[in-house]
Amino acid sequence: AVRLVESGGGSVQPGESLRLSCTASGFQFDDWAMSWVRQVPGKGLEWITYISDRGMSTQYADSVQDRFIISRDNTKNTVYLQMNNLKTEDTGVYYCAKGTNTVIRADIIKGQGTVVIVDS
């Protein structure tokens, strides 16, 4: 079965950084694009970024462009999200997901999530 396990969340102040990790199992990792989505309080899931299967291309939502960086290590079946210059509006639960997920569907395959709190 597909399993995605996120880690690295925490509580930080505005302007600080966090690095999230997601380790995958149960499928051929390097055959799939991977993405990060988030759920902020009171809103639905929001797609924020994806990386292609070999890591050659990436795409970001406007809300995180130039602040977040997605990367992957196919030798470790792991995808990362480097989050810089965090803002209070970045507070939420962050999930890694299988596929690009630029349009979030009900059958999205994602992990259990990791909580990010940005507060002064």
Side-chain angles (χ1 to χ4, degrees):
V2 173
R3 188 165 187 235
L4 301 169
V5 180
E6 302 95 337
S7 62
S11 183
V12 297
Q13 295 188 342
E16 294 185 339
S17 299
L18 278 174
R19 188 192 195 207
L20 308 183
S21 300
C22 170
T23 300
S25 61
F27 65 102
Q28 190 61 41
F29 184 72
D30 57 6
D31 279 350
W32 285 86
M34 294 295 294
S35 53
W36 287 92
V37 301
R38 68 184 179 188
Q39 184 151 26
V40 300
K43 297 186 178 180
L45 282 174
E46 173 192 11
W47 170 81
I48 55 175
T49 182
Y50 80 78
I51 186 167
S52 61
D53 53 359
R54 307 294 173 170
M56 297 301 290
S57 65
T58 57
Q59 189 170 336
Y60 298 90
D62 289 345
S63 58
V64 305
Q65 182 78 47
D66 298 327
R67 297 189 299 122
F68 290 11
I69 302 170
I70 189 171
S71 62
R72 66 191 292 162
D73 184 341
N74 286 351
T75 68
K76 298 180 179 178
N77 281 14
T78 300
V79 61
Y80 304 97
L81 184 65
Q82 176 67 42
M83 305 188 295
N84 301 318
N85 190 22
L86 282 159
K87 304 177 180 180
T88 55
E89 54 263 41
D90 294 318
T91 293
V93 183
Y94 284 70
Y95 304 89
C96 72
K98 184 184 176 192
T100 58
N101 295 298
T102 52
V103 176
I104 294 178
R105 300 175 9 153
D107 60 352
I108 184 173
I109 297 173
K110 58 181 177 61
Q112 84 291 344
T114 186
V115 177
V116 172
I117 298 172
V118 186
D119 190 4
S120 56

